[in-house]
Amino acid sequence: MFSKGRTIVLVFLFLAGVVNYLDRSALSIAAPFITEDLHLSPTQLGIVFSSFSVGYAIFNFIGGVASDRYGAKLTLFVAMIVWSLFSGAIALVFSLVSLVVIRVLFGMGEGPLSATINKMVNNWFPSDKRASAIGLANSGTPLGGAISGPIVGIIALNYSWKVSFVLIMVIGLLWSLGWWIFIKDKPAGEGKQNNGSAKPSQHQSGGKIPLTFYLKQKTVLFTAFAFFAYNYILFFFLTWFPSYLTDARGLSIKEMSVVTVIPWVLGFLGLASGGMVSDFVYKKVGKALFARKVVLVTCLFLSAVCIGIAGLVTTTVAAVTLVALSVFFLYLTGAIYWAIVQDVVDQKNVGSVGGFMHFLANTAGIIGPTLTGYLVEVSGTYTSAFLLAGCLAVFASLSVIKFVKPITNKFKVEIPEKAM
């Protein structure tokens, strides 16, 4: 699996994830400074947080199309440059409107990352190694969130919050240069070997099942709903948690910058191990879809309980501990949504159905932060926002139990559960 060429590709994809969440979470760390400079209300700050997901959700799909047409290397190269430049452009904002516009464009730049990681792994790794490679590549994202707190916080306190965004831009541009010099789109002479697919299974025979068939299935829709709940909690933590620590808990910027590292570290452990936990359950019970549901339902439910109770506790230590546990359990489900699509959808429609699910899930990033800002402004506390996030995830996890099942197509050929 880890030949020299593949290791370099995997390292660069891992670092891309680090840079991605370093850039993405920097705004939430700098939010207290930006709010003061631009005189933003909680609702307006929520709109700023949500604006990122407008561009991001749309370009989840567009990035996948571009990686197929122009290659993953070029697509990710352009995407990294675009999002790095617009991350640095945050230092130039002068009003709410300018900040929203830049965040939308920044989201458009980051949108292709997940699709290009999947495409690059598909190009470089054999089919029986791709799940492990994708998990390792994506595990860089919570580490990016972890280091953003100290980097942005320290620079903001000693220099200016604007300097931190310029530095992050430079990091992204340096990554782009290395990516273009050292990485190839496909390994020389290994295209056929790495792009070979598994033997056709029962559901691959005959004509292609229409995409519209899957988009109406309860299994797909309720998996997307669970993914939506996952993203609702994730974006709540990603955008509002630093402000919660300073506003509701009275932490200084320095203290907040350090405390935010804790949940991200646990998130890294959860994301790196979630697939392995699911595979372990599968080996024990022999049913892939059941193994996915066990991990998803159990961990999403535990994440919901922790985030809900975090809004009710009275001490900072208890709140931080519960949020950290919520992020850990949440990230344990991070790979499961994609695995369910692999289990119930025929191979010719996996990409399209997965893209549809990802798009629906990321609308949580549009709705959640703005709604949170509104609830905070109206109620004067964060309690209702915590409880709403928890209740949504509880309902989603219970829905998975009832509605996520193997799919039978219109020809009465059951889509069998598949091993990873």
Side-chain angles (χ1 to χ4, degrees), residues 222-242:
F222 280 93
T223 300
F225 175 47
F227 205 179
F228 176 94
Y230 166 96
N231 273 321
Y232 191 97
I233 294 178
L234 179 60
F235 275 96
F236 173 69
F237 166 70
L238 182 66
T239 57
W240 278 104
F241 186 59

Side-chain angles (χ1 to χ4, degrees), residues 333-414:
T333 73
I336 307 303
Y337 310 96
W338 302 102
I340 288 177
V341 171
Q342 296 282 348
D343 292 336
V344 303
V345 175
D346 74 283
Q347 196 172 55
K348 295 178 182 178
N349 282 299
V350 163
S352 299
V353 176
F356 171 75
M357 178 187 69
H358 200 209
F359 168 77
L360 291 181
N362 276 298
T363 59
I366 301 172
I367 300 169
T370 298
L371 180 57
T372 298
Y374 174 77
L375 291 173
V376 171
E377 186 168 358
V378 170
S379 67
T381 71
Y382 286 80
T383 301
S384 58
F386 276 98
L387 291 174
L388 176 60
C391 289
L392 181 65
V394 167
F395 183 57
S397 63
L398 295 177
S399 298
V400 169
I401 297 175
K402 181 174 178 61
F403 295 109
V404 175
K405 302 176 181 178
I407 294 176
T408 302
N409 69 24
K410 62 183 178 180
F411 301 106
K412 305 302 181 183
V413 177
E414 187 176 284

Side-chain angles (χ1 to χ4, degrees), residues 210-222 353 356 407 410:
L211 173 62
T212 53
F213 166 76
Y214 287 112
L215 302 190
K216 295 181 289 186
Q217 297 300 313
K218 291 181 180 179
T219 293
V220 172
L221 295 174
F222 280 93
V353 176
F356 171 75
I407 294 176
K410 62 183 178 180

